[in-house]
Each structure stands twice: as C-alpha cells, then as structure tokens.
Amino acid sequence: MEPVEVKQGIYWVGGIDWDLRNFHGYITQRGSTYNAYLIVDEKIVLVDTVKHYLFDEMLARIRKVVDPSKIDYIVANHVEMDHSGCLVGMAEIAEKAVVLTSPKGEEGLRRHFKKDLNFRIVQNGETVNIGKRDLQFFHMPMVHWPDSMATYCPQEKLLLPNDAFGQHIATAERFDDEVPFDILREEAAKYYANIVLPYGSQVQKVLHALSSLEIDMIGPSHGIIWRSHIPDILAAYEKWANNDTDKKALIVYDTMWGSTRKMAYALKDGLEECGIPVTMRNLELTHISDIMADVLESRAILIGSPTLNKGMMPTIGALLTYLTGLCPKKRTGMAFGSYGWAEKSVGEIEEAMKAMKWDVPIDGPRIRYVPDPEELEEVRETGKQLGAIINK
Ligand code: FEO
C-alpha cells in the first residue's frame, strides 16, 4: 500500500483493481486502476477518489504521506462512481475539506449521494491557489460525462484529466515508460473506443484548449501515467477524435450452419486481393467491447448475419445496438448473410449502417441456404469491388 511520488510533493494514492474483468459491460482482461492524487502544499489536496471497495487501500496510501483529516480540498473531477465512490467517506474523515467540482459535478454528486457536502463550484478556467502551486480547472463536458473536468497545475506542468487518456490496465508500474508502449496504446485505444468515441467533437475542443498549456505529465484516472509518450497519446487522440482510420477492413459475423462464415472468408479474399488488410471476428467468440477496438481504426466495416426467424441473429443485434450508441463516423459499411426462405438480416444491418451515416456503396450479398463455389466466387468479386472503393 505504498504511495508513489510522481513529482516532488505529489503522490499517486489510487487503488489497483486486479480482479476487474467487466466494467459496465466492457471486458477488462487486464483489470484496471482508479487513480487518485495527493498534492501536499500549504493546502493539502486530494484529486479524485476510487471505487468504493478500494477505499481502505487509498486511505492506507494517503496515511503514509499525511493525516487524511488534514486534507483541505477534495477535487471531484468526475461524478461517475469509479472516482466519486469514496467521496462521502473522505469528506467524513476530512471534515473541513472543501469539495471542488464543476457546476454539473455538484448537481450530479448531489443526485448520487443525497449529501450536502461542502461544495465549491469552480468555473471553466478558474484557478485556486494552494500555496506554492495553483490548480486550474478546465471543464470537459462529455469527456466522459457532462460534469467531467481536468485539473491542471502550471508550476508542475501536470495535467490530471480524469477519464481522458486513460486505459483499463492493472499493473505494479505507474509510468508509461515502465510498460511496453504497444500494450498501453492497445488499451488506450480500447478505452477510447468503448468510452470516449461518441464525443469526438468535444475531445477536439479539449485538445485545442490543452494545446496552449505546458504539460510534461498526464495523470489520467485509469491506468498508467504518461510522461514519456505524451506526444504519442495526444496524436492518437487527435486521430481518434477526427474519426481518421487506416486503410483496412474489419469483418464481423455470426453464423448458424457455416454459410455466412464462408461468405465472410470469400469477402476477405476479395479485399486482400486489393491489398486491404482484413481482421476477422466471429461474434460467437469475441466480445463486442473487443470488436470496438477493431472498429476504431478500420475504414471498412463488414457485418454478416444469417436470417434467424424474422431478422438478424441476436449477437449481431447487440453489436449494432452498441455500435449505434458509440457511433463511429466516416466508415464504409457492407452487410452480408445467408437465409433459408425469407431474407431479412442484410437489409436490417444496412439500415443500421445508414442510420450512422456510413457510406454503404454496395448492396450486400445474400445467399440462399448454402453457397456453391460459383456463388462464393461472386462474393469474392464483391469483396474486390469494395476493396477498389476503399483504395480510391
Ligand atoms: Fe472512469 Fe467516466 O469514469
């Protein structure tokens, strides 16, 4: 339960959730952390708290540095309970502490906890002096909730942006140069795809606001702290916020008796003939939150379902519901699938793609019962047509 001094007088005092495997439906194979930061100055400040069941762990770390009852300010950057879960408990221990939060933060925290905490609302850009240091607050609505804000310390060039730039990963290490960068980028991408993706225009505004700040450390509220790969993670956020993708395709499908699977692989062959790298995902084997990580940087998304009863397979329905909520933009889509006597699924998938304003340039292939070699050849040709469009 040791705290980690990330800068002189500034400590990581969060909690490590080694066992977390599901974060409201997002599969977290590597666990997560909830990062809280303690700033010791003339005033003692705790920035964010942790999920409720890690309260003792956070408290033990704080106690190694200061008496928690001496905390003057608790910054609530975000209402969601993975960060506010111990706010009431902390306020009971640090009785005189003022809770600094955004206007929406106060509203949300009151709705969550039904407590009249010692709130002080901070406006966008407002600065609070804590001794040798200042803390400046930047509202970041919808990155991730309407209440979200970042805390910035200009003297330390330290940004604490809560969910932004986070990753769900539990590690003994705290910094980005202590964990292989590929793993961190993968987890940061999956995090963005599942949590931040719908809010690209808000992320662009945040990136614009941050561009005028001097930053040499970014301490998000999940995962490791960025100090060596700041330009890399900022560039990745810029790319993702713009919905910029790579010239590659993702084929997601489910299958009943293997016909739609055969079509999926014929499409893959056609796309590959055009030099397009293709990722194959069978929905029976892959979770939708992992699929989202593939969606994030793929320009073409092909979704296949046989017709089951009067529509698509439920796995594909769940994927489309999730996808529609996260709403990736600027994608080229194509649906495909087999059927027995009444074809329904392909049109339904195409409708969902068009509702997300995807370009759907080709009427998706539909095959009755089981494809023969000639039909698979036609499907492969359709894959080539799509490949030519992506290559334009
Ligand atoms: Fe990590 Fe939106 O909470």
Side-chain angles (χ1 to χ4, degrees), residues 57 67 138 205 234 252 264 277:
E57 185 174 326
D67 173 352
F138 292 96
K205 282 184 200 145
L234 288 175
V252 191

Side-chain angles (χ1 to χ4, degrees), residues 23 78 80 82-83 144-145 162-163 168 191 195 221-222:
F23 188 93
H78 183 21
E80 196 165 11
D82 49 333
H83 310 296
H144 167 225
W145 282 8
N162 199 268
D163 279 342
H168 280 315
Y191 187 90
I195 302 281
S221 57
H222 299 286

Side-chain angles (χ1 to χ4, degrees), residues 247-319:
K247 200 183 276 187
K248 59 186 188 182
L250 166 68
I251 301 182
V252 191
Y253 66 95
D254 203 345
T255 195
M256 290 168 65
W257 293 101
S259 294
T260 299
R261 183 174 186 277
K262 283 181 185 158
M263 295 174 75
Y265 275 83
L267 288 166
K268 170 181 167 289
D269 289 346
L271 286 159
E272 284 180 348
E273 274 185 59
C274 299
I276 309 286
V278 184
T279 298
M280 303 298 289
R281 296 294 184 212
N282 180 340
L283 257 187
E284 203 183 324
L285 307 171
T286 315
H287 193 266
I288 51 176
S289 59
D290 287 317
I291 303 277
M292 283 314 302
D294 298 316
V295 166
L296 186 62
E297 295 187 322
S298 297
R299 191 158 309 161
I301 317 285
L302 293 79
I303 300 178
S305 173
T307 294
L308 171 69
N309 302 322
K310 291 185 176 176
M312 65 184 90
M313 289 188 72
T315 45
I316 300 290
L319 171 73

Side-chain angles (χ1 to χ4, degrees), residues 64-78:
K64 294 267 169 87
V65 186
V66 295
D67 173 352
S69 70
K70 305 271 190 268
I71 290 172
D72 297 284
Y73 291 116
I74 305 171
V75 177
N77 275 326
H78 183 21

Side-chain angles (χ1 to χ4, degrees), residues 99-366:
V99 177
L100 301 173
T101 192
S102 67
K104 291 278 180 197
E106 188 205 6
E107 206 179 299
L109 290 167
R110 284 187 188 278
R111 285 299 310 156
H112 274 71
F113 301 111
K114 324 294 183 200
K115 291 273 180 191
D116 195 20
L117 300 177
N118 193 10
F119 289 113
R120 172 175 159 190
I121 288 176
V122 287
Q123 300 300 336
N124 186 36
E126 187 173 336
T127 294
V128 173
N129 178 262
I130 58 167
K132 294 188 196 71
R133 303 175 179 93
D134 297 307
L135 297 180
Q136 193 173 12
F137 302 96
F138 292 96
H139 294 177
M140 306 192 305
M142 301 321 294
V143 187
H144 167 225
W145 282 8
D147 50 85
S148 295
M149 67 175 193
T151 300
Y152 174 64
C153 179
Q155 292 83 358
E156 301 288 352
K157 301 181 184 170
L158 170 67
L159 182 73
L160 304 174
N162 199 268
D163 279 342
F165 311 112
Q167 339 88 50
H168 280 315
I169 181 169
T171 62
E173 295 78 17
R174 296 274 63 83
F175 293 105
D176 59 349
D177 38 39
E178 299 169 338
V179 178
F181 179 68
D182 287 352
I183 292 177
L184 296 180
R185 193 186 188 281
E186 181 185 312
E187 290 299 342
K190 185 176 171 184
Y191 187 90
Y192 188 96
N194 283 280
I195 302 281
V196 191
L197 184 58
Y199 312 116
S201 60
Q202 289 91 337
V203 173
Q204 285 170 334
K205 282 184 200 145
V206 168
L207 291 172
H208 180 72
L210 298 185
S211 64
S212 60
L213 305 180
E214 278 191 284
I215 297 171
D216 70 12
M217 187 178 286
I218 299 177
S221 57
H222 299 286
I224 60 78
I225 296 165
W226 303 98
R227 66 180 177 188
S228 296
H229 292 285
I230 291 174
D232 300 310
I233 190 64
L234 288 175
Y237 261 59
E238 190 82 49
K239 177 184 180 186
W240 301 332
N242 291 337
N243 273 282
D244 290 341
T245 49
D246 299 333
K247 200 183 276 187
K248 59 186 188 182
L250 166 68
I251 301 182
V252 191
Y253 66 95
D254 203 345
T255 195
M256 290 168 65
W257 293 101
S259 294
T260 299
R261 183 174 186 277
K262 283 181 185 158
M263 295 174 75
Y265 275 83
L267 288 166
K268 170 181 167 289
D269 289 346
L271 286 159
E272 284 180 348
E273 274 185 59
C274 299
I276 309 286
V278 184
T279 298
M280 303 298 289
R281 296 294 184 212
N282 180 340
L283 257 187
E284 203 183 324
L285 307 171
T286 315
H287 193 266
I288 51 176
S289 59
D290 287 317
I291 303 277
M292 283 314 302
D294 298 316
V295 166
L296 186 62
E297 295 187 322
S298 297
R299 191 158 309 161
I301 317 285
L302 293 79
I303 300 178
S305 173
T307 294
L308 171 69
N309 302 322
K310 291 185 176 176
M312 65 184 90
M313 289 188 72
T315 45
I316 300 290
L319 171 73
L320 289 174
T321 300
Y322 197 54
L323 205 50
T324 302
L326 291 166
C327 202
K329 297 184 177 69
K330 301 198 305 201
R331 302 302 198 277
T332 298
M334 195 172 94
F336 61 96
S338 65
Y339 67 98
W341 49 97
E343 197 289 309
K344 291 280 184 192
S345 60
V346 174
E348 287 180 0
I349 297 168
E350 284 175 347
E351 246 176 64
M353 289 173 166
K354 287 175 186 166
M356 289 184 281
K357 303 203 183 329
W358 291 8
D359 186 25
V360 185
I362 297 174
D363 196 22
R366 298 148 162 92

Side-chain angles (χ1 to χ4, degrees), residues 13 21 42-43 87 98 136 211 224 363:
V13 291
R21 290 295 177 273
E42 286 166 30
K43 301 286 185 190
L87 180 61
V98 172
Q136 193 173 12
S211 64
I224 60 78
D363 196 22

